[in-house]
Amino acid sequence: MTDTNTTTKARGSTGLSRRRFTSLLLASGVSAPAILRASGARATDSVKMAALLDLSGGLDIYGRPMLMAMEMAVEEINATGGLNGKPLELITYDTQSNMQLYAQYAQQAALQDQVDLVHGGITSSSREVIRPILNRYNTLYLYSTQYEGGVCDRNTFCTGTTPAMTSKSPIPYTIDMWGPKFYSIGADYNAPRIMSDWSRTFGEQAGGEQVANDFFPLNVTEFGALITKIQQARPDFVCSALIGAAHLGFYRQWAAAGMLSEIPIFSFTFGSGNEHMMLPPEESEGIITPCSYFQEIDSALNRDWVSRYHARYGDDAPYQNNVSIGGYEGTWLWATAVRNAGTAEREAVIEAMEAGTSWTGPGGTLTMNAANHHSSRDIFFGRCTGGAWEPFHTWENQQPSDTDGRCDLIANPGQNVQFGAE
Amino acid sequence: MPQTFAPRHAGTLATSVLILGAAVVLPQTLGLFTLLQLTVYAVMAILALSLSITWGLGGVLCFGQAAFFGLGGYTYAVAVTNFGESTLPILLAVLVQALVALCLGWFMFMGRLSDLYVGVVTLCTSLILFNFANSTSDPWYRIGSAALNGFNGMPAIRGINIPFLPGALLSPVQSFVLTMLALLAVYLLCKTIAGSSWGRVVAATRQNPLRAELMGYDTARVKLGIFVIGSAVAGFAGCLFVNWNGFVSPDVFGLSMSAQIMIWMIVGGRETFVGPIVGAFALQALVSRLGVGSEINANVVLGGLLMIFVVLVPRGILPTVRDGLLSLGRKWGPGKTREVN
Amino acid sequence: MDLVLILTLQGVVAIATILLFSIGLAIIFGMMRVINLAHGEFMMIGAYGAVKSHEAGLNLWVAMLVVAPLVAALFGLVVERVLIRHLYGRLIDTLLATWGLSLFTVGVVTMIFGNTTSGVPTPLGTLRIGDYGLGQYNLVIVGVTLLVLALVALVLKRTSAGVLARATMQNPEMIAALGYNPRRIYAATFAIGSGLAGLAGGLLAPLTGVIPAMGVAFVAKAFITVISGGAAVILGTGTAAAIYGVISQSVTYVSTSVIGEASLFLAAIILLRLLPNGFAGRFFKGGV
């Protein structure tokens, strides 16, 4: 290698780049109008719904059954005449448990495929990636899993449960049943923290006391130290918002330490990842959870739905829990609004939703709240018995009152925030 | 060992013109969606180049390149939220990462850690950052007006504006042009370093540290230097990523992020600077294509591809294709054999 | 007093758990210099082997202690043959290839079994110490770990097969010249390392959630333990596991689990700076 020669060559190429650089800066100004081209006419031959769900990677445990639920809703809607004479088309995007792909696919759904609704997002994190993008490109968004509540955004509708529904009545009920002292544990992120805050608020109103709240990273599998701490604190019950497969370790080690029969567990999240099926029955016996849906709910509508579900996907189809059934409920609620509006156009559907669109399905009746764009719904208190859920109490028509007095999208359509616990 | 990274005037020129041409022509011809996709691919190409500097050129085995990428993103996000203007935050994203790399590199190289242990320390660093960023969901963790927000990540972050004009946010198309220009600048930076006399010392240190040391070069300092530059570029990529996404979450520190960068390099060809760019574009496009309406598990395809490449095409697409063409040329060309340089 | 006892016991269990899921990697990485990022997936395969064979009616102990390591070892043999064999001596390539293997395996297992698997029950009852309780099964883990360590040490130190394996790792040409087939020895060693990972997966199956992606939670910790340990499979890894187990467990008890995890990684960085060749390089030169 002859050094001097190649070195000058390299210098030469940088010199060249400087000239190019300036011309490029000019080019960037010229190209700005291209954005105008994005707002083309939407396709009119079908109504399109985009499903943004994790169908592979760590979160597919939620995404796969949810997609099945969505597919069922879409098939039923098309079998009953479609939407205002047009078929409903489902476009699925596998976000592969990757936040970057949520952003990419939200852009693709809005700009390229020009869908009428984006439905999906599982974690709150993914929802917060999607939401600003869909706001920017004027595409309606529906988020249908249970979450920490508080989103206040005119372009977004939420149909899952919020802490106002799962804490307000269930926490006092549990305190009556088991005693006032509870020890809160949860996964270390916003939703469990906000759930823990709400359970303290409602617990204290009912004369209870939250003796501690501990949070654990999602990848923690070893809970020995926590169990010792709980044994020291001797609460009347444990209030859990643990999430994910790693945290199953807690329930297992808890049972192995012989605690299951001594200190009962109330959980906001147990069952959302089908924990009750992944644990042997003797390790989940007696855990109670308030939520919007169990496959075991004893109503004619639900029995019929479950049998149709198994007819469609086979006897070993995954259990539909309160998270995954959101795919079915959300799709139907939106479709009802589209039918009411007579069009899938965004503004008209928002107005139809705000007029209080209501739909009754296997989990009871959902009614959209105009002020905060969340739906009210029934809450079932379930007890884990022999590895299955046994609903033992029902609160009908629970309101999404998390943001009452704070969020009013009718009076103030420009609001776009997420509120925390009071 | 084939001579690598030697600046070849024609190749550099062609690549530069290609990037430049794309930046000028594509906004006129492609739709907004495609431009948005290309923007993030270009950001990742810059990230791939940053590891090309650190590992490809400098031979510093950095398993935790995501640490600098992520910190760059967080630095930008926190700063821009506080300042409401993006000029200083971009500079900070670069400078802070240079500083962090200086401290970490000092600790590693002056301690004469072996290559593999450098890898482990960088890996640990990214895992610590991952765990730390995940554990900041308590509202107590805030810097100025920016809450770090833990696992959920920081949403709705301001994009880049025209320097010192907070009102003039870049449109997505302008962001695309900016990102392509940045890619070009980083590519030329790589070429310049590789072609400089210091770059030759770096290459010598990578190929035979002992010999370089005996010739009187302070190899620890050389490695430190290249590590700082690579990390600063990664920080810059992080800042551009947040500009594209308007969002940053602890995922940016993840093991899969670090591994992904290496995958792009391997597939594209780690002995060149164009290879990682090609690898980043190609694999990103593949990953997003796999996820739309298909029944195939994307991870199976990606994993299978990676295994096949490592075993069958270990040098990556670009060098393999180039050498194939050259040897064809030697075989068939009328005596026009050219030195591979 | 009860508290001290239970905390000590939990510390011992934590150390044993770390050791158990690191030992397979210690052999594959420590001896063979193959960076196996799919280590967690070998564990996962062991865990699935245990769960599925127990579901099919096999005795739980047989499923965990025999089927799990066997399945993983077989898988290891195949992987060695198809993938790893081409990559000896190419450290970084082993990392990339096994990263691919990890993605691939998780995907394939998800396609076959889905991602909801019912777990196996935790056997045995509870050990009561005053107000506190601890699963007796945890003590089984400690016992099995000790047994495995003793066996590995015995094989490596005292049997000709072990000596041969160690010699092959140092100088394969010489071993070939002596008339042995180093390829077979590599394959066998890799299979044994995989089998031990599978055993760890099988034994941990009753304590954690068994899903295709379960390996992720273990792989980083296993690596840090093994690398801090250095070249001595038993002594080095053992010391590292002891130090990390005590640090993370006590910090978690005193403060939070987050700080516990962070302190573990921080300790690793500092240790590496002080002992660039791991414990083995400093204290157990030439040991096993």
Side-chain angles (χ1 to χ4, degrees):
Chain A
M1 35 161 120
T2 49
D3 296 32
T4 42
N5 193 15
T6 35
T7 315
T8 34
K9 273 183 188 168
R11 293 243 169 81
S13 59
T14 13
L16 182 88
S17 82
R18 261 180 234 123
R19 283 199 301 277
R20 295 274 162 178
F21 211 85
T22 12
S23 67
L24 247 283
L25 279 177
L26 294 172
S28 67
V30 178
S31 54
I35 191 169
L36 297 176
R37 230 171 293 140
S39 51
R42 287 177 193 262
T44 45
D45 48 343
S46 67
V47 176
K48 291 182 193 164
M49 178 174 93
L52 260 66
L53 294 170
D54 301 307
L55 305 177
S56 57
L59 291 170
D60 59 359
I61 188 165
Y62 304 99
R64 288 219 156 255
M66 197 161 172
L67 179 65
M68 293 176 172
M70 276 190 202
E71 283 170 350
M72 264 187 81
V74 170
E75 284 162 16
E76 288 174 14
I77 289 162
N78 284 331
T80 53
L83 295 175
N84 311 317
K86 291 178 192 167
L88 172 57
E89 184 189 344
L90 177 68
I91 307 178
T92 61
Y93 305 83
D94 174 9
T95 43
Q96 301 165 36
S97 311
N98 176 341
M99 288 304 137
Q100 184 191 328
L101 286 177
Y102 268 106
Q104 283 178 240
Y105 290 144
Q107 291 165 349
Q108 180 166 358
L111 294 170
Q112 177 163 295
D113 301 334
Q114 309 206 336
V115 299
D116 298 281
L117 174 77
V118 170
H119 183 176
I122 294 169
T123 58
S124 291
S125 182
S126 61
R127 183 195 64 238
E128 291 309 302
V129 173
I130 297 173
R131 216 154 58 77
I133 294 173
L134 297 182
N135 268 320
R136 182 190 244 182
Y137 301 120
N138 293 325
T139 306
L140 194 65
Y141 178 43
L142 183 89
Y143 179 65
S144 58
T145 66
Q146 70 150 303
Y147 83 113
E148 69 276 14
V151 167
C152 179
D153 172 358
R154 185 159 185 273
N155 191 52
T156 302
F157 290 91
C158 304
T159 59
T161 56
T162 60
M165 303 179 221
T166 52
S167 301
K168 199 175 185 175
S169 307
I171 288 276
Y173 186 97
T174 310
I175 287 175
D176 271 355
M177 188 164 61
W178 284 338
K181 259 173 75 176
F182 60 98
Y183 194 115
S184 285
I185 55 177
D188 188 9
Y189 68 98
N190 296 36
R193 278 182 190 274
I194 293 177
M195 287 173 187
S196 162
D197 289 348
W198 280 113
S199 64
R200 181 174 56 246
T201 307
F202 290 126
E204 281 169 3
Q205 281 172 14
E209 183 201 358
Q210 184 182 50
V211 292
N213 52 355
D214 282 352
F215 298 97
F216 297 84
L218 286 160
N219 57 359
V220 166
T221 52
E222 169 58 50
F223 290 92
L226 167 69
I227 290 173
T228 307
K229 276 196 211 174
I230 299 179
Q231 287 169 338
Q232 258 183 310
R234 289 274 143 199
D236 292 314
F237 65 98
V238 172
C239 175
S240 151
L242 294 173
I243 288 171
H247 285 181
L248 275 179
F250 168 76
Y251 299 107
R252 316 212 68 177
Q253 291 156 34
W254 181 254
M259 298 306 296
L260 199 55
S261 53
E262 292 190 17
I263 301 175
I265 297 178
F266 164 98
S267 174
F268 290 113
T269 49
F270 192 83
S272 300
N274 286 347
E275 283 88 349
H276 63 293
M277 304 186 73
M278 298 174 73
L279 291 180
E282 52 271 42
E283 291 178 12
S284 60
E285 195 70 22
I287 294 178
I288 60 171
T289 300
C291 75
S292 60
Y293 182 74
F294 297 112
Q295 246 181 240
E296 292 85 348
I297 290 171
D298 193 24
S299 72
L301 257 176
N302 181 51
R303 276 193 302 271
D304 174 52
W305 189 83
V306 173
S307 69
R308 276 185 292 129
Y309 173 67
H310 283 299
R312 170 73 175 78
Y313 290 106
D315 286 337
D316 54 353
Y319 184 89
Q320 287 287 342
N321 57 40
N322 73 86
V323 172
S324 55
I325 192 108
Y328 182 79
E329 298 170 335
T331 306
W332 258 116
L333 190 69
W334 165 76
T336 310
V338 171
R339 284 176 178 175
N340 290 350
T343 167
E345 193 269 322
R346 188 180 81 106
E347 206 47 49
V349 174
I350 292 179
E351 277 163 23
M353 280 283 212
E354 284 176 346
T357 294
S358 185
W359 170 82
T360 303
T365 300
L366 283 73
T367 307
M368 188 48 70
N369 177 312
N372 60 28
H373 285 199
H374 286 61
S375 55
S376 64
R377 52 189 310 154
D378 299 349
I379 297 296
F380 303 88
F381 219 158
R383 179 184 285 114
C384 221
T385 314
W389 288 107
E390 188 186 281
F392 64 93
H393 190 87
T394 309
W395 290 275
E396 277 176 10
N397 197 24
Q398 294 294 293
Q399 297 300 319
S401 56
D402 309 63
T403 53
D404 277 2
R406 296 188 285 174
C407 177
D408 189 346
L409 291 163
I410 299 296
N412 190 0
Q415 262 188 313
N416 188 350
V417 281
Q418 183 177 6
F419 294 105
E422 260 164 13
Chain B
M1 178 96 194
Q3 191 185 335
T4 59
F5 298 116
R8 290 186 306 153
H9 199 90
T12 310
L13 188 65
T15 312
S16 309
V17 168
L18 205 68
I19 299 177
L20 206 56
V24 178
V25 175
L26 294 186
Q28 316 294 333
T29 49
L30 293 177
L32 181 58
F33 163 68
T34 320
L35 286 181
L36 281 168
Q37 304 282 292
L38 288 177
T39 309
V40 71
Y41 298 171
V43 170
M44 293 307 177
I46 295 176
L47 179 58
L49 279 180
S50 79
L51 189 64
S52 240
I53 297 175
T54 308
W55 178 38
L57 183 64
V60 175
L61 191 51
C62 184
F63 287 167
Q65 196 72 357
F68 303 104
F69 175 69
L71 265 183
Y74 268 96
T75 309
Y76 172 79
V78 167
V80 83
T81 310
N82 279 302
F83 302 156
E85 198 278 331
S86 69
T87 317
L88 193 57
I90 298 175
L91 284 178
L92 275 178
V94 177
L95 289 180
V96 169
Q97 271 35 264
L99 203 67
V100 171
L102 191 68
C103 298
L104 188 66
W106 191 271
F107 171 89
M108 296 190 303
F109 302 121
M110 298 303 162
R112 306 269 155 189
L113 284 192
S114 69
D115 279 356
L116 185 59
Y117 290 90
V118 167
V120 176
V121 170
T122 48
L123 178 69
C124 280
T125 309
S126 69
L127 289 175
I128 290 178
L129 287 169
F130 180 72
N131 281 343
F132 174 74
N134 260 321
S135 66
T136 54
S137 62
D138 195 315
W140 183 84
Y141 291 98
R142 52 171 60 246
I143 301 173
S145 58
L148 295 182
N149 217 16
F151 169 82
N152 280 28
M154 301 173 63
I157 297 163
R158 255 184 82 91
I160 293 176
N161 52 263
I162 291 170
F164 305 111
L165 292 175
L169 282 175
L170 294 190
S171 72
V173 178
Q174 287 166 332
S175 283
F176 168 74
V177 176
L178 173 77
T179 310
M180 292 301 276
L181 288 181
L183 176 60
L184 180 65
V186 170
Y187 172 69
L188 290 173
L189 173 77
C190 294
K191 282 293 191 183
T192 312
I193 293 174
S196 70
S197 52
W198 184 69
R200 287 166 186 284
V201 178
V202 173
T205 307
R206 177 190 76 229
Q207 291 186 1
N208 194 334
L210 185 63
R211 193 175 287 178
E213 188 105 61
L214 290 173
M215 287 172 77
Y217 295 109
D218 184 346
T219 53
R221 208 165 280 231
V222 170
K223 283 185 181 175
L224 183 60
I226 203 75
F227 183 65
V228 168
I229 297 174
S231 309
V233 171
F236 181 50
C239 141
L240 289 174
F241 181 66
V242 173
N243 172 53
W244 172 78
N245 208 354
F247 175 84
V248 61
S249 76
D251 277 4
V252 289
F253 295 116
L255 199 57
S256 57
M257 188 54 107
S258 291
Q260 189 172 266
I261 310 169
M262 295 190 138
I263 295 174
W264 299 330
M265 280 187 70
I266 295 298
V267 170
R270 66 191 117 170
E271 300 159 11
T272 64
F273 288 124
V274 183
I277 300 181
V278 172
F281 271 88
L283 282 181
Q284 297 253 325
L286 177 73
V287 165
S288 31
R289 176 55 61 88
L290 281 176
V292 183
S294 81
E295 277 300 301
I296 314 164
N297 188 318
N299 282 339
V300 173
V301 178
L302 209 60
L305 203 68
L306 188 57
M307 288 191 282
I308 292 170
F309 260 90
V310 173
V311 174
L312 299 180
V313 201
R315 295 181 59 205
I317 296 176
L318 235 66
T320 307
V321 169
R322 185 188 64 195
D323 290 0
L325 288 179
L326 283 175
S327 70
L328 267 184
R330 259 199 294 280
K331 211 166 175 185
W332 304 109
K336 268 173 68 182
T337 42
R338 209 164 77 92
E339 264 306 296
V340 190
N341 74 339
Chain C
M1 189 56 222
D2 292 343
L3 185 62
V4 175
L5 192 60
I6 196 98
L7 285 178
T8 315
L9 270 177
Q10 267 171 359
V12 172
V13 172
I15 294 169
T17 312
I18 295 182
L19 247 176
L20 183 65
F21 67 66
S22 303
I23 186 80
L25 190 69
I27 288 179
I28 289 177
F29 175 69
M31 287 180 67
M32 306 179 70
R33 297 273 122 184
V34 168
I35 300 185
N36 182 16
L37 273 185
H39 178 69
E41 280 61 50
F42 284 93
M43 291 177 63
M44 180 264 289
I45 286 189
Y48 267 84
V51 169
K52 292 293 167 191
S53 59
H54 177 62
E55 263 175 27
L58 203 66
N59 176 287
L60 182 59
W61 295 101
V62 178
M64 290 191 304
L65 294 170
V66 181
V67 176
L70 267 184
V71 172
L74 274 177
F75 180 65
L77 266 184
V78 175
V79 167
E80 201 274 344
R81 188 77 199 222
V82 177
L83 194 65
I84 306 294
R85 175 161 294 188
H86 309 282
L87 304 175
Y88 287 122
R90 287 157 54 189
L91 199 65
I92 307 306
D93 287 348
T94 59
L95 169 121
L96 294 161
T98 51
W99 176 268
L101 177 67
S102 155
L103 291 177
F104 184 80
T105 315
V106 172
V108 168
V109 169
T110 311
M111 276 153 78
I112 298 174
F113 294 115
N115 39 31
T116 309
T117 309
S118 52
V120 289
T122 314
L124 306 177
T126 308
L127 179 73
R128 310 249 31 142
I129 302 172
D131 278 346
Y132 305 98
L134 181 74
Q136 287 172 9
Y137 181 71
N138 287 310
L139 303 179
V140 173
I141 291 208
V142 177
V144 173
T145 307
L146 287 176
L147 204 68
V148 166
L149 288 187
L151 264 176
V152 171
L154 204 69
V155 168
L156 285 181
K157 258 227 127 92
R158 300 270 179 232
T159 66
S160 55
V163 174
L164 203 58
R166 287 200 290 154
T168 310
M169 304 313 152
Q170 290 185 1
N171 194 337
E173 285 83 11
M174 181 65 82
I175 291 302
L178 287 173
Y180 298 100
N181 184 351
R183 290 188 149 206
R184 278 222 185 124
I185 297 169
Y186 277 126
T189 314
F190 194 83
I192 289 172
S194 315
L196 287 175
L199 177 67
L203 278 169
L204 293 177
L207 290 178
T208 62
V210 177
I211 58 163
M214 67 181 275
V216 186
F218 300 99
V219 68
K221 255 185 233 168
F223 258 100
I224 289 161
T225 310
V226 169
I227 286 174
S228 318
V233 173
I234 305 290
L235 292 173
T237 313
T239 318
I243 289 183
Y244 294 152
V246 168
I247 289 178
S248 75
Q249 204 65 12
S250 53
V251 175
T252 304
Y253 180 75
V254 177
S255 60
T256 68
S257 150
V258 178
I259 302 178
E261 294 256 301
S263 66
L264 190 154
F265 291 122
L266 212 61
I269 289 186
I270 293 168
L271 271 176
L272 281 177
R273 177 66 172 82
L274 298 177
L275 310 169
N277 291 315
F279 292 106
R282 184 68 181 261
F283 303 115
F284 316 119
K285 270 218 160 90
V288 174

